Structure formats: C-alpha cells, structure tokens
Amino acid sequence: MTGTGSLVRLILRRDRLVLPLWVLLLAVLPITQTAGIAELYPTERGLREFAASFGANPALVALYGPFTHWNAAALGVWRAGFTPVLLGPACLLTVVRHTRVEEETGRRELLGSTVLGRQAGLSAALAVAASANLAVALVVLASFAGLGYPVAGALATGLGYAATGMVFAAVGAVAAQLTESAGGARAIGLSALGVAYLIRMAGDSTGASWLSWLSPFGWSQRMRPFAGEVWWPLALSLAAVVLLSLTAYALAGRRDLAAGVLPPRLGPADAAPGFGSPLALAWRLHRGPLLGWSAGFAVFGAVVGAAAKTAADTMAGNARLMEMMARLGGSANVADVFVASVMSIFGMGAAGYAVQAALRMRGEETLMRAEPLLAAPVGRARWMAGHLVFALLGPAVVMLVLGVAVGIAYGVSTGDVAGRLPGVAGAAVSQLPAVWSLAGLAVALFGLLPRLTALAWAALALFLLLGQVGALLDLPPAALGLSPFSHLPKLPGGEVAATPLLVLTVIATALVATGLYGFRRRDVG
C-alpha cells in the first residue's frame, strides 16, 4: 500500500473538475424533487392521490421502483429513483479510469518503478470512490435535515446511495482486473450494472419481488427512507463491497502489470477488405457504444411511452404542476407536455453519448494509437472525420430509436400508433441541434485545449442541473437560457421556430471547425 496517499492526491488533482460536479449534481436531485412535490401537492389528499395514480402504473414502478409511503419526502426520493443508476456508472468509470486506463497508457508502470506498492493504485481509486460516495451521503443528509425533514430518513437515503455507488465502484475494480483493455473493462462493468437494473425493474414491475433482492438497486430501496427505515439491507451492500474488493485485490496479485486475467482475443492475421479506411476503423471502435446506447434508449423509451397516458392523466388535475411542466414542455395537450419534458431529459443523455464519442479521439491520441495512423498517408482531417461521423450522426440514430420506441409504446396505450409515432419521433430528432452543440464543444476542446476536455462533461452536468431543478426553483429565464436545450421547440404540440435550431446548428458547426483547425496546427500527443 506504499504511496496510496500520494496517488489519492493525484487522482483528486486530475478529477478536480468532474468529481465535485457529479457528486453535487446527484446529491441535490432528491431534495429538489421533494421540494417540488411538496410545493405542487401541499395537502395530504393531493399527496395520496399522486401516490395512488403513479403507483398503479407498472411502467413507472419499473422505472423508479415501488412506492413506500405517500409523504412528500418519500415521494421525492422515489421520483429521484434514477439517481443510483447514475451514481453507479460514475463510480465504476472513475475506478476504471484510475486503474486499468493508467496501466493501458503505461503510466502505472512508470510510477511503479518508484517507491510505490503493488496495490496502491487500486487502493487509491477505491478510496477516492468511497470519499465521493460519502460526500454524496453527507450532502443528502444536510439538504434534507436543513429543511426540517427527519434525520433518519435523510441518513437512510444518503447511505443507500453511497452503498450502491460503492458496490459498482468495486464492480469496476474487478472488471479492471479481467481485461487488458480499458474499453473492455468498461463494457464488463456497465453490462453488469445494466443487468442489475433490469433485474430490479423486472422484480418491481412483475410482482416477483424476490428478484429485486438480487440487485444492489433493490437493496437501497428496501431501506425505506422516510417510510419507517429498515437498516439491515445496508449490510448486503457492504458485504458485496467487501467481497468484490477482496476479489479485485486477489486478481490484481495474480496477474502481470498491464495484463488481464482473461486472455486477449487475437484478431485475424489479415484485415477484412473493407477495413482499410479511417471511417472503417472508427466504425470498429464506435459500434459497441452505439449499439449499447441504442438498445438502452429503446428499452427506456418503451417504458416511458407506456407510462405517458397515466402520467398525463395525473398531471391534468394539478394547475401548478402543469405550469411547471409547460416551462419544460409548453403545450396545451397534457400528454404532449409529459412527452416533451421526457425528450429534453433523454436529449441530455444523447449529448452524453455525443461527448463520449467525440472524446474517443483524445483517448486514441493518449494511447498513442493515433500517431502511427497519421504517420501513414492519412490526413488529420480525414482521421477526425471518421470519429465525427459517430459523434454527430450516432446521436441522431440513438434519438430516432428513442422516438420510435416512445411513439409505438405511447400509441399502443392510447390506441393510436399512427397518430402518435410521427410527432413523438419528430420531438426526439428536434433535440439534435443542442446535442450537436455539446459534441462541437468537445471537438473544439480536443483541438485547442486537449488537456481540458473534461470541461465538456462539466458543461453537460451544468445543463442537466439547470434542466432538472431550474423550473422547480423558479430560476430566471437568463439562467435557464444558458442551456442550449432551453432554446429547442417544445415538441410534440409546441410551435417550431427555425431560428434557434439554425443558430444552434451554426454554433455546433463553428465549434467542430474550430476543433479541426486546432488539431491540424498542434502537436499530436
């Protein structure tokens, strides 16, 4: 363990922008949802009706989990039930970044030649993840207690989130030992997370509650915050963390540095005939994330579409809720308001995919795989163009899949697939100019300031925060206008103004051109 403290300080130095942002963003979501529900439903009768309406919809129960109580705090925590699903990959990817990525780039070997213990890197990554989860728990506790909510419920909420985050941090630690590729480690870890979430969804929505006990997401929900807290499920998460961490340490001690426990799969001796261009290579690198994001959006789109009618019926009876949702969705039709607000959230998710795809260029550069290609008869602009196809057109595919899934599911629930599908698909595609602006920002940072590419993630986190809590906090239009998503048409049902779409597209084009110009003039690496 020698040198663990120094590596912890190094990780905190490198993640000084991204780490506080996702900790704060995820920690404030429960209290903002609680405050919004308390304002929209100030009476006991309103809260009971809210719980009865939403709790009867299997799609919403699958998405957020089961109801535990009708009070505002319990309903707010339920409404923020997607928070652990976001916290899990944040912790998992943080651990992979500071373990497997460090080995893949050769930095861990250089540090290992100094006075540094064999397990210091893994220990430092897990320590930082534990500190971040503890910070999430403390912010949750302070926010609820500061507004007068019971401390026990706030503590159960925070500890449930922290325990779930640490489970998937330990999953990331194990995945980092299994393969010699950082991409492979991410795929293994995120696949495990997706399976865990699908198991929880199946258990809560089908009545087979025993399935939920097989998922870490189910354990935190079974702690019942603000509904008569149950503390012993926390032991399941702690046991999983200990078991997975010990497994990671055991595997790390049995393999060579930069190698994985699983043997690498050798490719063919000769490349396929169509594998001789930068675009073909980009397809090989991006096809996995593209297919994964498309499948995920299809599943969640179907769930949201199936829940749209029930959500619309509930919203129609609350004038304050309609006013707030209109700021996000802006339509006279209640169902259109709900679908439009959902599309804005999924648009930000697609922007995350766009940023990830754009920054794959930076990953190829730091791993020294770009320089050999550019030494061949491949121009820099041509090499970048292969990745830009997926950074710009990939989100279009993902959003179109989402629109079709939501449109079909919503159309089936209302008996009008042909009438609902075109409008919902168009609403999904209308998010693209804002998505492209985030992709353009990532490309510009890659070309001009490659060491600050994390600012693209920081911008996305800021826009997500404004979109989620801005309307609830009644922020002024100038603050909400910082997000490109606030300038999009409120579809379906709203009016389409071409000017904002054109302006955002021009901004995205200018940012991409700036990135191309910068990369052509700077040194590689």
Side-chain angles (χ1 to χ4, degrees), residues 10-402:
L10 176 61
I11 293 173
L12 294 176
R13 174 69 174 78
R14 294 178 60 194
D15 288 1
R16 64 191 182 278
L17 295 177
V18 176
L19 190 64
L21 275 172
W22 66 255
V23 167
L24 180 62
L25 175 65
L26 297 177
V28 301
L29 283 179
I31 190 60
T32 56
Q33 296 294 338
T34 298
I37 290 175
E39 180 182 359
L40 297 169
Y41 298 92
T43 65
E44 178 180 328
R45 178 181 177 181
L47 291 172
R48 287 181 179 274
E49 290 178 351
F50 176 91
S53 299
F54 283 94
N57 190 304
L60 288 175
V61 172
L63 193 60
Y64 297 115
F67 280 93
T68 56
H69 202 275
W70 51 263
N71 66 72
L75 292 176
V77 173
W78 170 83
R79 184 61 181 82
F82 213 66
T83 302
V85 186
L86 299 175
L87 183 61
C91 295
L92 186 152
L93 295 177
T94 297
V95 171
V96 172
R97 165 177 159 80
H98 295 290
T99 52
R100 174 52 59 183
V101 172
E102 292 298 285
E103 293 188 40
E104 190 174 16
T105 56
R107 289 192 290 262
R108 184 49 42 84
E109 187 172 9
L110 291 175
L111 291 174
S113 64
T114 64
V115 184
L116 190 70
R118 176 64 182 262
Q119 305 289 9
L122 178 58
S123 300
L126 289 174
V128 170
S131 300
N133 283 291
L134 179 61
V136 169
L138 292 176
V139 173
V140 170
L141 174 62
S143 61
F144 276 101
L147 292 181
Y149 289 99
V151 173
L155 185 62
T157 303
L159 289 180
Y161 289 169
T164 303
M166 274 310 299
V167 168
F168 288 103
V171 169
V174 173
Q177 315 308 317
L178 296 179
T179 174
E180 64 181 25
S181 163
R186 295 188 190 100
I188 293 172
L190 293 176
S191 297
L193 185 145
V195 169
Y197 185 66
L198 290 176
I199 289 174
R200 203 279 302 156
M201 289 179 65
D204 291 337
S205 61
T206 63
S209 58
W210 62 270
L211 281 175
S212 299
W213 288 103
L214 303 179
S215 170
F217 297 114
W219 302 339
S220 61
Q221 291 175 348
R222 291 324 189 261
M223 293 181 67
R224 298 177 57 87
F226 301 105
E229 291 74 23
V230 179
W231 300 100
W232 69 264
L234 186 63
L236 296 176
S237 298
L238 296 179
V241 171
V242 172
L243 179 62
L244 290 169
S245 298
L246 291 177
T247 301
Y249 279 112
L251 294 177
R254 295 176 61 86
R255 63 176 181 83
D256 290 335
L257 189 67
V261 174
L262 301 177
R265 184 166 61 95
L266 299 179
D270 298 318
F275 199 60
S277 69
L279 180 60
L281 175 60
W283 162 248
R284 177 65 177 82
L285 296 174
H286 288 272
R287 65 184 181 186
L290 177 60
L291 295 175
W293 279 85
S294 298
F297 269 44
V299 172
F300 289 116
V303 172
V304 169
K309 187 176 185 300
T310 298
D313 293 342
T314 303
M315 289 164 53
N318 190 306
R320 177 70 180 102
L321 178 60
M322 285 300 300
E323 177 186 352
M324 183 200 74
M325 294 296 287
R327 296 178 63 183
L328 295 173
S331 171
N333 185 288
V334 182
D336 288 347
V337 171
F338 175 78
V339 173
S341 64
V342 168
M343 286 301 172
S344 66
I345 297 173
F346 277 100
M348 294 182 188
Y353 165 68
V355 171
Q356 179 191 49
L359 295 185
R360 183 60 188 258
M361 294 183 289
R362 179 60 177 167
E364 293 296 293
E365 181 183 13
T366 56
L367 292 174
M368 301 182 67
R369 292 198 288 252
E371 191 169 2
L373 292 176
L374 297 174
V378 176
R380 296 192 182 195
R382 186 183 173 205
W383 176 77
M384 286 187 67
H387 292 277
L388 291 177
V389 167
F390 295 93
L392 300 176
L393 297 184
V397 173
V398 168
M399 290 304 295
L400 185 59
V401 168
L402 171 72

